[in-house]
Amino acid sequence: MNNCEGKIPTASSTPTPVVQDIRCYTIEDLMAMLILSRPTVCRLLKQNEFRWFKVGGAYRISKTSFDAWLNDGIIEPNSAV
């Protein structure tokens, strides 16, 4: 009998989720977080806005470097306040 036939999984048969310490982002991660297109994210990489490296042709962006870049942005005062 498989799980689709009504067997209720027990705690021992359910995989435990692995909590990962994310140290790098992908281009797709940045696209989703910043709501930007792939060419725009690639332009940021080429401008060396944050640290990045390639692994087998795939870009990896340092989380620490990206977060610092994102948090160090200049916040303009809201004129409506």
Side-chain angles (χ1 to χ4, degrees):
M1 177 184 284
N2 64 29
N3 287 342
C4 295
E5 296 175 358
K7 182 180 176 184
I8 299 173
T10 62
S12 62
S13 66
T14 305
T16 54
V18 177
V19 179
Q20 294 180 332
D21 179 27
I22 298 174
R23 298 182 64 194
C24 294
Y25 293 127
T26 63
I27 288 179
E28 289 75 18
D29 293 334
L30 269 59
M31 289 170 55
M33 287 186 287
L34 299 173
I35 312 171
L36 295 173
S37 67
R38 185 177 193 87
T40 302
V41 171
C42 289
R43 190 174 320 116
L44 290 172
L45 294 179
K46 289 179 183 178
Q47 293 171 347
N48 290 317
E49 293 293 334
F50 25 80
R51 291 187 340 210
W52 58 271
F53 56 95
K54 286 178 85 170
V55 177
Y59 289 93
R60 295 294 181 256
I61 296 95
S62 161
K63 179 184 183 312
T64 304
S65 174
F66 173 78
D67 291 346
W69 172 82
L70 187 63
N71 292 330
D72 288 343
I74 298 171
I75 301 172
E76 296 183 18
N78 187 348
S79 60
V81 177

